[in-house]
Amino acid sequence: MGLIQGIPGEFEPQPWGEAIVRSRELLLLRIARPPADHEVRLPGLTTTPRHVVEDETGKALTWRRDGDDLVVRLPEVDQPPVVRVALQGKLRIVPPDTVTANADGVCDLTPTGPVAHLVARRAADVAVRFIGMVEPDSRHQIRLGGRRYGVTGQQVARTTIGPFPMPERRVVALTVPSGVRRVLVAPVGTVLASIHPGRDELTVVVTNFGRTPARGDVELPLPANWSATEHTWTFDDLGPGHSIGWSTRITAPPGRHELRAHLDAGRRSASSPHTITT
C-alpha cells in the first residue's frame, strides 16, 4: 500500500521506554529497558529521519525503516544512550488505533475513546453511521478531517452524517459521541450490509450511504454446521442515510468465525465482514 501519511501527535509509552517530542522535527528516545536484541522499535513514525545519533556523544547509530516503524540498533554498552532522532520534516505519526478502509473503501471500527483515526486507500467523499445509545436531545459536533457538522443525538442514532472528504492514505481524526459502540464509514453512494451479533442471535443491517433510495436482496451465508431461523431478506425504498435490519436466531458450534452478508443492491453494494465467537 505504501507509506501512510500520519497526523501531528505524540507517542504512547513503549516497552523499552519513551519517545519525547522536543520539537516538530526532533525526537529523543529514552531507553529504560533495552531489548535483548538491542533493537528499539518506534511504531507509527511516518516522517523520515535525517540522522539518528547518541544524544551525548553525537555518534551515529544504525537505523532502518520497517513500514511505518523506525528501528534503531543500540550499542552493546552497560548504560543505554539517549537516542536523538532528527527528522527531515514535521513530525507525523500513525496512532495505534488507526483503522484502514477495506477494498470497498469501508471502515468498520469499535471506538475506544472520543476520537478515532481512519485512513482510506483512495480519496473519496464518505459518510458516517454511528451505532449505540445516544441521548436524542443531546448536541454534537462531528468532525472528520477538515469538515464538521452540528447534529442532534437523534440524528447520530438514526441516520448517516456527511459527506466528509477523505484524502488518500492520510490519517484523519473522527470525533465519536459518547455512547457510540460501533462506527461505519463508507463512500457516499455505497449501500452497505453489516453484521451485528447479539447474545444468541445476529442482526443483519443494510445502510444506505447514497443520495437516492435503494432496494435489493440480502443473504447471510453460514459456515458448515450452522443453522438460522432466517438467512435471506428483501428490502425496497430504503431512504438515503437510513438503515434497515433483520434479526435471526442462530445455532452454531463453538469457535471463531468470520461472517459476511451477501448484498445485491446494484453496483455500489458492499459488505463489512465481522468476526464472532460462539
Side-chain angles (χ1 to χ4, degrees):
M1 180 176 174
L3 186 67
I4 294 173
Q5 292 189 331
I7 61 176
E10 296 185 350
F11 295 93
E12 296 183 348
Q14 302 297 318
W16 43 261
E18 59 180 343
I20 301 170
V21 179
R22 276 293 176 87
S23 72
R24 293 185 299 176
E25 298 181 5
L26 179 64
L27 296 174
L28 292 181
L29 310 184
R30 296 193 182 276
I31 316 300
R33 296 168 293 279
D37 61 1
H38 301 283
E39 285 197 341
V40 168
R41 180 178 292 268
L42 181 63
L45 174 66
T46 68
T47 311
T48 301
R50 187 169 66 249
H51 59 253
V52 180
V53 301
E54 293 184 16
D55 185 49
E56 183 175 349
T57 65
K59 181 180 178 180
L61 298 175
T62 301
W63 61 275
R64 69 180 190 276
R65 298 299 302 270
D66 184 7
D68 292 328
D69 295 356
L70 170 66
V71 182
V72 179
R73 180 76 181 180
L74 299 177
E76 297 185 19
V77 294
D78 293 336
Q79 185 66 31
V82 174
V83 177
R84 176 183 292 263
V85 181
L87 304 172
Q88 292 186 12
K90 295 179 181 179
L91 171 66
R92 300 184 75 87
I93 69 172
V94 176
D97 66 347
T98 300
V99 175
T100 301
N102 65 19
D104 292 324
V106 175
C107 289
D108 186 341
L109 64 137
T110 302
T112 57
V115 177
H117 297 96
L118 316 175
V119 63
R121 299 169 186 266
R122 55 188 178 274
D125 284 342
V126 303
V128 180
R129 179 69 166 94
F130 295 109
I131 299 164
M133 300 296 293
V134 182
E135 289 294 331
D137 296 331
S138 57
R139 303 290 302 184
H140 306 272
Q141 286 285 330
I142 306 302
R143 301 178 179 86
L144 177 59
R147 186 170 296 177
R148 72 178 67 186
Y149 294 94
V151 296
T152 65
Q154 188 174 38
Q155 290 172 292
V156 168
R158 293 189 177 182
T159 188
T160 63
I161 300 169
F164 299 91
M166 279 278 286
E168 180 180 4
R169 299 183 181 180
R170 183 185 292 272
V171 177
V172 292
L174 169 67
T175 55
V176 180
S178 177
V180 168
R181 64 179 186 274
R182 188 172 176 186
V183 182
L184 300 171
V185 182
V188 171
T190 301
V191 183
L192 176 67
S194 55
I195 293 173
H196 305 257
R199 184 172 181 178
D200 55 1
E201 65 180 19
L202 297 177
T203 300
V204 178
V205 176
V206 173
T207 302
N208 183 2
F209 287 84
R211 296 187 174 96
T212 58
R215 64 187 303 273
D217 303 302
V218 192
E219 179 184 2
L220 179 62
L222 296 174
N225 301 321
W226 283 49
S227 63
T229 53
E230 292 185 82
H231 60 88
T232 60
W233 303 272
T234 298
F235 64 96
D236 194 7
D237 200 28
L238 178 59
H242 291 275
S243 300
I244 186 171
W246 307 268
S247 294
T248 180
R249 296 185 68 85
I250 62 168
T251 302
R256 286 175 57 85
H257 307 271
E258 182 180 273
L259 297 182
R260 183 193 291 263
H262 178 264
L263 172 66
D264 183 4
R267 67 182 185 89
R268 296 304 300 270
S269 302
S271 184
S272 180
H274 197 73
T275 300
I276 66 172
T277 301
T278 57

